[in-house]
Amino acid sequence: MDKTLIAFRNVWKTYQMGEVQVNALKDVNAEFEKGEFTAIIGPSGSGKSTMMNLVGCLDVPSKGEIFLKSENIARLEESDLAALRGKTIGFIFQQYNLIPGMTALENVLLPLEIQEIDDNIAEKRAKELLTLVGLSDKMQNKPTQLSGGQQQRVSIARALASNPEIILADEPTGALDSVTGKEVMTMLYRFWKENGKTVIMVTHDMHLAKYAQRHIELKDGKIVRDETNQDQLCPEY
Amino acid sequence: MKPVKILRIAFNMVKANKLRSWLTIIGVIIGIASVMTIVTTGEFFQDQVTKTLEELGGDTITIVASVPFNFMEENASQVIVESENGSENGNISGGGDDLSNSMDFGDVETPKLTKMDVFTLRRVHGIQYINVNIETSAELEFGGKKTSVYVEGVDPRAWPNITKKKVGEGRMLQPGDRTSVVISNELANDEALGRQIRVNQMILLNGKSYRVIGILAKDGGLLGGLGGLFGSSIYMPYEEVNSLSTTEEGVDEKETDVYDSIEVKLYKNVDYEATIKEMENMLRLSHRVDEKNQDFYVSSGKEEMENTKKLINGLTAFLAFIAGISLLVGSTGIANTMFTSVLEKTKEIGIMKAIGAKNRDIMLIFLCNSAMISLVGGIIGILLGTAAVQVILFLISISMKVPFEFALSLKGTIIATLVSIIVGLIAGIVPAKSAAELKPVDALRYE
Ligand SMILES: Nc1ncnc2c1ncn2[C@@H]1O[C@H](COP(=O)(O)OP(=O)(O)OP(=O)(O)O)[C@@H](O)[C@H]1O
Ligand SMILES: [Mg+2]
């Protein structure tokens, strides 16, 4: 079986800023295999988020092709793409991106409701996940009633709710202090290790990047380094 | 996404912005209530007018003698010819030297309707009943007190079948009645007479004695409200009117077999317009006139009724159109609110899309949101409209002295409901579509 989950083939992403064109990604080729833990690093503005958005099917390339589970995402209908995204990808954002009007539980339930999972099963799963991230007593809290670290843990629970193959995390600890950041990082690592998920994480922090197996370094929209992390850290948990 | 979940999310959106939602709802309420009020009130007026005109004899046709319309423009020779025609027929009235009859037309014959015309009309096929009317006034004496009354001579064979008046006590006139009369309810209870006139009592008219065989029922509706325009009236066989000797100055004695008007009622299923044409043609032939110098006038109540109905219909439509504008403003309110929430929810739309929501889900959420607003607005608007209609109708019925009845226009309600649904959908669709079509990346970046 083909182990390649995601493949970038000569991908360009160009933003039109009035008169000027910004090439956020320039002819990027990359493959991500099932079960890999990859860290994308690089200076600000190098195209890391752009790349993540393309992996997550939130955006389409200007040129080139992207394959997700050997499907060319450019060829998919909007609704199929949404369904694929919902089933295969779990997002963890820097700014948590929880829905403010919903409780922690409702936020975790949302992806399951979108996929029309049976209510009882969905509720059971959401509660399990929230317990797993240590928020069993905060399920009815709205995001504003939670700390940053707690909100990010809700968003991890949400990302895992539909049991996706790929977890995409764009600077998941960017808004957290180093202690909470490390906690969140440990959690992410644990899910990767225990469930064999494919994790792609964007980070500025070289220390956090050490938890990943593979490092892809971007600079000015190009991959300048792609290597296996020789000294991958393994946090104690 | 399951409909229940979409509804719940939409409902939470409405709830999350209570003030804004209510302001939008109020706009819809006002629009719908005003459309309903105007349509129902319009229909009420139409009903009332129709009823009144029918009471006045809406489906009967009245023929009166009249001076030709273009008489003044006719040249003198024509006038002479006509007067010669008249004298040839030996029909000339003795009115030549009677000032009150001759008016300004010199020796021209005054047009009139006669027994001949009744014979002519008998030959028209569509006609069921022909009644003749002779009007005069007389002095009534009862229980030693006197009052002046309006007397209408009618044909006892036809009048009970044509008139809309109903007898309250006693009976209607019958063929063969001679010195029997039917009197109006107002006259029976006339305070000037001191006491009530009862059935079978005798009254004196210009000194001649008549038996009251029937008292009419009180008029209902708008007419009753007019307080009995023809208040104290007496109906008697028309032959009798001629024998009422005149007592007052200025009231001319009625000629035998000359009528003030002829009333005609058609069979139910005949062609109304065609029969009127036929009547006019036959009368013209017998009068030896043409359309230009026609000396009679046929007025059909139905025509007037239709015209009045059309007028009210037009007026109602016009007012409903204006009310419709307020509904339109209400719907702009919905659209505005929806656009604002789409803007506000852009980031959430992005999040939902990132976790798998389809365009369709987003679209439905926003559509349900606007549907809820217009539905609540619609329901309250209809309730409020119903209440407003009752208040208005109550006030109208007080001022018109007709009994108040609960009324609700089915048409108005259906229109208002449909419009509120359509308005909600249209006002919701554009913002919902723009929300659904947001690109996930752009939506997520939105702050
Ligand atoms: N929507 C956009 N419109 C125009 N230009 C954009 C847009 N998004 C990104 N860019 C540009 O593309 C380039 C790459 O941006 P990207 O967000 O991918 O950088 P990044 O590596 O994630 O940076 P950071 O570490 O600061 O998050 C930048 O030069 C940015 O200005
Ligand atoms: Mg970024």
Side-chain angles (χ1 to χ4, degrees), chain A residues 13-17 20-25 40-53 59 94 170-171 202-204 218 220-221, chain B residues 441-442 445:
Chain A
K13 183 71 197 180
T14 310
Y15 293 109
Q16 191 74 44
M17 292 283 288
V20 272
Q21 289 195 335
V22 182
N23 288 317
L25 290 180
I40 299 177
I41 50 179
S44 185
S46 56
K48 305 184 295 292
S49 295
T50 306
M51 191 161 170
M52 285 295 258
N53 290 338
D59 208 350
Q94 181 178 6
D170 193 345
E171 303 200 39
V202 168
T203 184
H204 268 119
L218 280 174
D220 288 335
Chain B
V441 247
D442 297 338
R445 195 175 289 118

Side-chain angles (χ1 to χ4, degrees), chain A residues 13 15 53 57-59 78-79 82-83 85-86 91 93 97-100 102 106 110-111 113-114 116-119 158, chain B residues 1-3 5 8-9 12 347-348 350-361 436 439-442 444-445 447:
Chain A
K13 183 71 197 180
Y15 293 109
N53 290 338
C57 309
L58 294 177
D59 208 350
E78 176 276 330
S79 61
R85 183 164 57 216
F91 287 96
F93 301 95
N97 282 352
L98 297 175
I99 296 199
M102 296 184 177
E106 286 167 342
L110 192 57
E113 286 175 351
I114 287 173
E116 305 192 358
I117 309 278
D118 179 84
D119 280 2
R158 182 181 65 186
Chain B
M1 230 175 155
K2 283 183 193 153
K5 308 293 177 192
R8 207 196 59 214
I9 294 179
N12 285 336
K347 183 133 193 179
E348 287 179 36
I351 297 169
M352 292 186 62
K353 286 194 151 188
I355 59 178
K358 297 172 183 168
N359 284 2
R360 196 179 132 261
D361 299 329
K439 262 169 68 183
V441 247
D442 297 338
L444 273 171
R445 195 175 289 118
E447 286 305 327

Side-chain angles (χ1 to χ4, degrees), chain B residues 100 246 248-252:
Chain B
S100 69
T246 316
E248 288 168 62
E249 284 293 318
V251 178
D252 55 310

Side-chain angles (χ1 to χ4, degrees), chain B residues 247-388:
Chain B
T247 52
E248 288 168 62
E249 284 293 318
V251 178
D252 55 310
E253 199 166 331
K254 292 287 176 179
E255 273 176 89
T256 320
D257 296 335
V258 171
Y259 315 120
D260 290 320
S261 65
I262 301 178
E263 278 177 310
V264 153
K265 189 173 174 177
L266 304 186
Y267 285 106
K268 278 253 152 19
N269 47 2
V270 298
D271 183 343
Y272 198 86
E273 311 296 327
T275 311
I276 289 182
K277 284 250 160 56
E278 191 184 344
M279 279 164 52
E280 281 175 336
N281 284 337
M282 306 229 345
L283 286 174
R284 273 184 211 130
L285 268 178
S286 93
H287 283 223
R288 302 194 185 176
V289 293
D290 57 27
E291 238 168 294
K292 272 193 206 134
N293 52 15
Q294 180 173 314
D295 59 350
F296 60 90
Y297 175 66
V298 177
S299 85
S300 73
K302 198 162 174 170
E303 210 171 290
E304 277 161 39
M305 204 157 83
E306 293 302 318
N307 286 340
T308 316
K309 267 191 192 172
K310 262 185 220 156
L311 189 78
I312 294 177
N313 241 339
L315 201 68
T316 308
F318 172 68
L319 290 176
F321 172 75
I322 291 179
I325 290 177
S326 75
L327 203 51
L328 201 73
V329 173
S331 69
T332 328
I334 298 185
N336 194 20
T337 303
M338 296 315 296
F339 272 119
T340 316
S341 7
V342 169
L343 272 187
E344 228 178 47
K345 303 270 170 193
T346 303
K347 183 133 193 179
E348 287 179 36
I349 294 169
I351 297 169
M352 292 186 62
K353 286 194 151 188
I355 59 178
K358 297 172 183 168
N359 284 2
R360 196 179 132 261
D361 299 329
I362 307 286
M363 173 116 180
L364 284 177
I365 288 172
F366 280 90
L367 269 188
C368 287
N369 190 340
S370 55
M372 279 172 191
I373 287 178
S374 58
L375 192 75
V376 174
I379 291 171
I380 300 181
I382 286 169
L383 291 179
L384 214 72
T386 310

Side-chain angles (χ1 to χ4, degrees), chain A residues 144-164:
Chain A
T144 47
Q145 300 161 331
L146 293 169
S147 72
Q150 287 167 334
Q151 288 187 56
Q152 194 60 303
R153 282 192 267 162
V154 175
S155 100
I156 290 176
R158 182 181 65 186
L160 297 171
S162 51
N163 199 20

Side-chain angles (χ1 to χ4, degrees), chain B residues 3-71:
Chain B
V4 208
K5 308 293 177 192
I6 286 177
L7 282 175
R8 207 196 59 214
I9 294 179
F11 181 64
N12 285 336
M13 263 165 74
V14 176
K15 233 176 44 182
N17 252 305
K18 279 204 193 77
L19 182 63
R20 194 203 294 155
S21 299
W22 276 112
L23 288 176
T24 319
I25 288 170
I26 287 171
V28 179
I29 291 175
I30 292 172
I32 286 177
S34 46
V35 167
M36 269 187 66
T37 309
I38 285 169
V39 174
T40 309
T41 314
E43 276 182 14
F44 170 81
F45 271 120
Q46 215 170 340
D47 277 1
Q48 288 295 320
V49 169
T50 310
K51 232 189 260 169
T52 305
L53 289 178
E54 263 165 15
E55 274 162 18
L56 283 171
D59 56 347
T60 61
I61 298 160
T62 308
I63 302 141
V64 291
S66 79
V67 178
F69 285 132
N70 51 354
F71 178 79

